[in-house]
Amino acid sequence: MALSKNHTKTPTMSEQAAAAIPSALRTLEAEASGVTALATALQSDLGVRFAATIDLIQNAKGRLIITGLGKSGHIGRKIAATFASTGTPAFFVHASEASHGDLGMITADDIILAMSWSGEQPEMKNLINYAKRFKIALVAMTSDSTSTLATAADVSLTLPKAREACPHNLAPTTSSLMMLALGDALAIALLESRGFTPGDFSVLHPGGKLGAMLKYARDLMHTGEAIPLKPLGTRMSDALVEMSAKGFGCVGIIDSNGQIAGIVTDGDLRRNMRSDLMTATVDEVMTRNPKTISPNLLAGQALELLNSSKITALLVAEGKKPLGIVHLHDLLRAGVA
């Protein structure tokens, strides 16, 4: 008999494949120990240098230039992207390319964060000389406080020594993760000190699912004649026509001042099912003081509210004045979920 499409067969492992799991656990344990050592160092001498680096970046007139090569360079590119997306203007300059014209990207108002585990890469020499010549603040991220890079820097973020996850202690693994973690720590500390908000993030990250979640309710809501509304005293038969015509599964009920007094939903219909339902008024059936959201609520937060309340639509209001309506399907189409 053929297996159905949804049938999931439990995979089998060879002895060789099974041995990969202990290897993976050793890797994670080694890398976790590196991050733990980094956290301990931040509570000691590294913490003072970390704070000094934050002050330098915050007070800079220009941008944060991150440089490195090899695995440090790859980590540097990621850190630069994190800084830039969280409110700290930053970009990456490859340490080798810097000597072939890319030094021109760096101005006297900038700050350089140079990343090198050994601190002795010869490609850094021209960059160090350039920083000294134009009095550009230089921060080193390295594991050797006596290295050429560390001694040339205005501030040296000296990471604690840690064994690589590689069994030969050669392939940059633990060291790369520690650099990444410290870079993220710098970016988040700057984000928090600036009071960087989700709204600020949305300006810098309009694309993808994150961008969709950071849209506002006002960007997605239906307005004007599309809002299902009826006044108090309306017969349920008329309210049902409005619900069906607008297609949101609900109708907002407004008072004589045009303010939201209640809402009639599919659930209210089921709870009030009786022979005279169509001749009853909305006043008898509606849910009073319904949940509404501000037009400035983020789409991601609106989705959380819909899910937690187990409803499919929310009226958008300023105070109690209806401005629009947002349906779960609007959020889905926008890519929020």
Side-chain angles (χ1 to χ4, degrees):
M1 180 184 291
L3 294 175
S4 67
K5 288 184 178 179
N6 293 327
H7 181 81
T8 302
K9 187 177 180 180
T10 303
T12 58
M13 288 190 295
S14 66
E15 289 185 8
Q16 185 178 11
I21 296 175
S23 173
L25 291 173
R26 287 193 296 272
T27 297
L28 294 176
E29 287 169 4
E31 294 189 341
S33 67
V35 174
T36 299
L38 182 59
T40 300
L42 273 168
Q43 298 174 60
S44 184
D45 292 346
L46 181 58
V48 176
R49 297 174 181 276
F50 183 92
T53 301
I54 294 294
D55 283 339
L56 274 175
I57 298 172
Q58 279 183 324
N59 295 320
K61 295 179 181 178
R63 303 144 305 172
L64 176 63
I65 312 301
I66 300 176
T67 187
L69 64 160
K71 300 300 184 292
S72 298
H74 292 305
I75 296 299
R77 288 182 188 277
K78 186 275 173 188
I79 292 173
T82 299
F83 275 112
S85 69
T86 53
T88 300
F91 66 87
F92 178 80
V93 173
H94 195 281
S96 182
E97 294 295 337
S99 297
H100 297 275
D102 284 1
L103 283 173
M105 297 179 178
I106 308 171
T107 74
D109 290 331
D110 297 332
I111 289 180
I112 299 171
L113 171 58
M115 302 172 63
S116 168
W117 187 254
S118 68
E120 294 296 348
Q121 284 142 327
E123 294 89 344
M124 288 284 185
K125 182 178 179 181
N126 289 333
L127 197 144
I128 291 171
N129 290 338
Y130 185 82
K132 287 183 176 179
R133 178 181 178 184
F134 292 99
K135 296 182 173 56
I136 301 170
L138 175 64
V139 177
M141 187 184 292
T142 179
S143 67
D144 189 348
S145 62
T146 63
S147 65
T148 300
L149 178 61
T151 53
D154 297 282
V155 179
S156 177
L157 296 172
T158 306
L159 288 81
K161 299 286 186 180
R163 182 176 177 81
E164 302 289 6
C166 165
H168 311 299
N169 197 30
L170 294 174
T173 46
T174 307
S175 58
S176 297
L177 182 63
M178 292 169 70
M179 285 183 153
L180 175 63
L182 188 58
D184 284 345
L186 285 167
I188 299 306
L190 286 162
L191 176 155
E192 292 178 344
S193 68
R194 288 194 176 98
F196 193 80
T197 67
D200 297 324
F201 191 88
S202 69
V203 173
L204 302 177
H205 200 299
K209 183 175 180 179
L210 278 176
M213 292 180 69
L214 293 167
K215 290 182 183 292
Y216 294 100
R218 64 173 180 264
D219 300 322
L220 303 174
M221 68 183 185
H222 301 265
T223 61
E225 292 297 317
I227 312 171
L229 293 174
K230 282 293 181 181
L232 287 168
T234 299
R235 284 192 171 206
M236 280 300 301
S237 57
D238 294 331
L240 279 173
V241 170
E242 180 76 356
M243 286 177 66
S244 299
K246 301 297 172 64
F248 292 101
C250 64
V251 57
I253 309 303
I254 54 176
D255 61 20
S256 58
N257 295 317
Q259 296 191 329
I260 298 171
I263 193 170
V264 176
T265 67
D266 291 332
D268 292 316
L269 296 180
R270 290 192 296 272
R271 285 187 291 271
N272 290 274
M273 191 62 68
R274 57 183 196 255
S275 59
D276 65 341
L277 178 60
M278 291 301 100
T279 57
T281 65
V282 292
D283 310 49
E284 303 170 55
V285 177
M286 71 182 187
T287 297
R288 297 180 183 276
N289 300 314
K291 289 183 175 68
T292 62
I293 58 173
S294 162
N296 298 320
L297 188 74
L298 291 173
Q301 294 173 312
L303 179 62
E304 289 179 10
L305 183 55
L306 286 170
N307 287 332
S308 63
S309 303
K310 297 181 179 179
I311 56 179
T312 58
L314 284 163
L315 289 169
V316 182
E318 198 75 73
K320 289 202 170 187
K321 180 180 176 57
L323 300 179
I325 186 168
V326 172
H327 194 275
L328 176 62
H329 292 165
D330 301 317
L331 300 174
L332 294 175
R333 279 192 292 269
V336 178

